[in-house]
Amino acid sequence: MRGNVLNKSRCGRPHKLSDRAIVRKEKKNPKISAPKLADQIATASGKKVHPETFRRILRSGGYNGRVSSKKPFISSVNQQKRLDFASPHASRILVINE
C-alpha cells in the first residue's frame, strides 16, 4: 500500500534517551564524569546505558573529556610578592596592549 507510514521499516535501533537531555545535564554540572552521569540517569529513568554512549553523545554535543583544573590557593604572602613584582611592570604591559 502506497502512502502508509504506520508500518514503515526503520534503519537501526531507536534511541533509549534524548541526546539533548544528556547534554543539558552535562551543561548544568560540567565536572561530572560519564559513569556518574550514567548512574544518575539509570536511577532516574530506569534505563541502563553504557558510559561510553554518554561520552560519544557529549563529544558530538561539543564537550570533551577534559575538565578545567582548579587554581591553587595563593597565600597572602605570595599575593604580596606577586603584586610587588607586577607593579613596576604594569606600565610596560599597558603600552604594549594599546
Side-chain angles (χ1 to χ4, degrees):
M1 177 182 232
R2 197 171 171 165
N4 188 1
V5 292
L6 294 175
N7 295 325
K8 193 169 182 179
S9 63
R10 300 179 187 177
C11 63
R13 184 173 189 261
H15 294 281
K16 273 187 177 181
L17 301 170
S18 167
D19 292 356
R20 278 192 228 137
I22 295 169
V23 173
R24 197 176 313 125
K25 240 184 186 331
E26 180 69 21
K27 190 174 185 180
K28 193 173 183 180
N29 184 7
K31 294 192 177 192
I32 193 168
S33 64
K36 287 183 184 176
L37 188 62
D39 288 341
Q40 281 184 2
I41 290 184
T43 56
S45 67
K47 298 174 183 176
K48 188 164 174 73
V49 181
H50 198 272
E52 191 60 38
T53 306
F54 285 97
R55 287 187 197 100
R56 190 172 56 247
I57 290 169
L58 292 173
R59 278 188 216 114
S60 68
Y63 288 91
N64 294 316
R66 296 179 293 277
V67 176
S68 60
S69 61
K70 293 182 181 178
K71 292 198 172 200
F73 174 73
I74 301 172
S75 65
S76 57
V77 174
N78 285 343
Q79 285 178 359
Q80 190 60 44
K81 284 181 181 179
R82 283 179 169 206
L83 189 61
D84 292 342
F85 173 80
S87 296
H89 304 320
S91 61
R92 278 185 42 200
I93 294 171
L94 292 174
V95 172
I96 294 170
N97 288 338
E98 289 178 351

